[in-house]
Amino acid sequence: MTPVEAGAANGADVFFILMGAILVFAMHSGFAFLEVGTVRHKNQVNALVKILVDFAVSTLAYFLIGYGVAYGMHFFAPAATLNGNEGGLYAPHLYAPQGRDLVKFFFLLTFAAAIPAIISGGIAERARFWPQAAATAIIVALVYPFFEGLVWHDNLGVQAWLEASFGAKFHDFAGSVVVHAVGGWLAFGAVTMLGRRVGRYTKDGRLIGFPPSSIPWLSLGSWLLCIGWFGFNVMSAGSLAAVSGLVAMNSLMAMVGGILAALIAGRNDPGFVHNGALAGLVAVCAGSDLMHPIGALLTGAGAGVLFVVMFDWSQRRLKLDDVLGVWALHGLCGLWGGVACGIFGLAALGGMGGVSFWSQLVGSIGGAAYALAGGFLVYGALARTVGIRLSAEEEAQGADLAIHKIGANPEAEMMQR
């Protein structure tokens, strides 16, 4: 390959990864509007500000610490200590070819920042702002990248042990477990430590319904997430040479399976339908590069039913006041996706093979257990030291006015006074 051809190929990969990063970054607007449409009107501004600020905090935490924890690469070592070349702290030759490692950081950052965006939906309407920002920094700097490095960078020999024990490494192509299950199980700990919203349950434990503030905003959030998800999954290939149309097809089929299953199981409820699409996409991430499209359809359908059933069960039986149902949507559907990869990824069931059911089961449960412990540890420590919950008066007033001193429609609200 001539230098010109090599430059064109490298530039194409840089552009490919950059477009993936932009698509996944756009998904954060989907997280925001999904939350805006689900929470009560007095908490809409907080949802928007919280997710945008969490992204900024995540960027700094991942840039300064997290990326190095996961991949052993950071941006502050003198070039001479890394490859023998002269250079200062900024050494462009370290990130060759053509800055590909830099856009890779951007792409992986958008995954890392999805963790606090997931948690945000569970703790909505009663969490204090700055303690949550601190939790975001800790999780994105340390908790998430540690597990990310185990799976995607073979740190500490865990993948080698799984391969030796069960015949294959733990496979998670685009993050059913690494991102979604980890985010959902971290959220379980956060929601539990935070406690239930005032008025959510009666004294005898009966659930009080808090209807969504805006189905159109909720549906917009779902649509934005669905669109961006094709960047989340397809562009996890990391290069044009490795890209596979199978990933796109499987993402599509899983999304459709999730929608239709949630439509039926949820009895036409629009919230379940729009979240059903996301449940299917969460579940297919792990095996989207291996499954037959029919396997992806079944994986998505299973996730759609799982979300509907477990969201209702967790609210009514477990009395987990998880506002957007992120434990069911990301925690459980992500866990199912990791296991489903070990089922529908098998050659005997039409998949590409090269996976082990037992590795998938161990890796999926291990990721969930790690995140559950991390959630209780981080939010438990913050609860005991600085406090993580708004006062009853602030919660009744709403996070918009209590934290940001402005509501979603300030002009209309002023006229009502």
Side-chain angles (χ1 to χ4, degrees):
M1 184 180 292
T2 68
V4 173
E5 290 171 334
N10 291 332
D13 283 345
V14 168
F15 187 73
F16 176 75
I17 299 169
L18 176 61
M19 290 301 100
I22 291 170
L23 280 169
V24 184
F25 175 48
M27 289 176 69
H28 288 262
S29 65
F31 283 119
F33 284 107
L34 190 72
E35 186 172 333
V36 165
T38 305
V39 299
R40 289 170 289 180
H41 188 269
K42 61 184 179 179
N43 298 294
Q44 289 181 325
V45 170
N46 180 245
L48 293 169
V49 175
K50 182 172 48 171
I51 288 181
L52 187 61
V53 171
D54 274 345
F55 189 89
V57 172
S58 296
T59 300
L60 290 181
Y62 201 63
F63 180 78
L64 295 172
I65 303 173
Y67 195 50
V69 171
Y71 300 101
M73 179 178 178
H74 53 97
F75 301 96
F76 301 99
T81 67
L82 294 177
N83 61 6
N85 294 325
E86 294 297 328
L89 293 181
Y90 174 67
H93 54 278
L94 295 178
Y95 313 120
Q98 295 174 232
R100 178 175 168 177
D101 288 340
L102 298 178
V103 293
K104 181 183 177 182
F105 162 80
F106 183 15
F107 183 66
L108 291 170
L109 159 69
T110 60
F111 280 55
I115 300 294
I118 289 168
I119 296 170
S120 175
I123 63 174
E125 300 204 331
R126 75 277 202 199
R128 292 178 61 201
F129 189 83
W130 288 111
Q132 170 54 20
T136 292
I138 297 167
I139 288 167
V140 177
L142 299 171
V143 180
Y144 166 75
F146 178 80
F147 186 74
E148 177 190 16
L150 294 183
V151 177
W152 286 342
H153 200 239
D154 294 346
N155 292 349
L156 301 183
V158 173
Q159 288 283 36
W161 174 79
L162 288 170
E163 186 174 24
S165 301
F166 305 114
K169 295 179 180 180
F170 174 64
H171 186 86
D172 191 356
F173 180 71
S176 286
V177 177
V178 174
V179 178
H180 297 286
V182 166
W185 286 91
L186 279 166
F188 187 97
V191 171
T192 302
M193 295 306 303
L194 198 62
R196 304 160 189 157
R197 286 170 290 175
V198 174
R200 183 59 167 158
Y201 296 90
T202 62
K203 291 182 179 180
D204 60 359
R206 184 171 54 87
L207 178 68
I208 305 287
F210 287 176
S213 59
S214 174
I215 296 298
W217 284 129
L218 183 157
S219 64
L220 175 64
S222 176
W223 275 101
L224 289 167
L225 284 163
C226 288
I227 293 167
W229 222 294
F230 287 88
F232 196 98
N233 284 0
V234 175
M235 290 166 174
S236 287
S239 69
L240 281 174
V243 72
S244 171
L246 179 64
V247 177
M249 181 66 172
N250 283 342
S251 300
L252 175 67
M253 296 302 286
M255 180 186 74
V256 168
I259 292 169
L260 296 178
L263 172 70
I264 296 168
R267 300 180 181 180
N268 303 328
D269 182 280
F272 283 141
V273 170
H274 286 92
N275 279 286
L278 308 182
L281 287 163
V282 164
V284 82
C285 289
S288 57
D289 63 327
L290 299 178
M291 295 178 180
H292 187 282
I294 294 175
L297 179 68
L298 294 174
T299 297
V305 173
L306 181 65
F307 171 70
V308 172
V309 171
M310 294 307 294
F311 177 79
D312 184 70
W313 181 83
S314 65
Q315 298 279 335
R316 296 183 183 278
R317 301 296 183 185
L318 199 58
K319 293 185 172 49
L320 182 73
D321 192 11
D322 178 356
V323 181
L324 268 67
V326 298
W327 175 63
L329 180 62
H330 297 274
L332 294 179
C333 292
L335 182 63
W336 157 241
V339 175
C341 176
I343 300 172
F344 297 110
L346 297 173
L349 293 176
M352 301 288 287
V355 290
S356 161
F357 171 78
W358 293 108
S359 286
Q360 294 305 119
L361 183 64
V362 170
S364 299
I365 293 175
Y370 168 76
L372 179 64
F376 276 105
L377 179 63
V378 172
Y379 285 91
L382 288 170
R384 288 180 177 274
T385 53
V386 298
I388 58 176
R389 180 158 182 160
L390 295 174
S391 68
E393 294 77 13
E394 290 171 327
E395 186 180 337
Q397 184 182 29
D400 292 358
L401 294 178
I403 297 173
H404 308 289
K405 312 306 179 187
I406 192 169
N409 301 104
E411 187 175 359
E413 291 163 358
M414 287 179 65
M415 293 175 63
Q416 294 173 4
R417 294 176 183 173

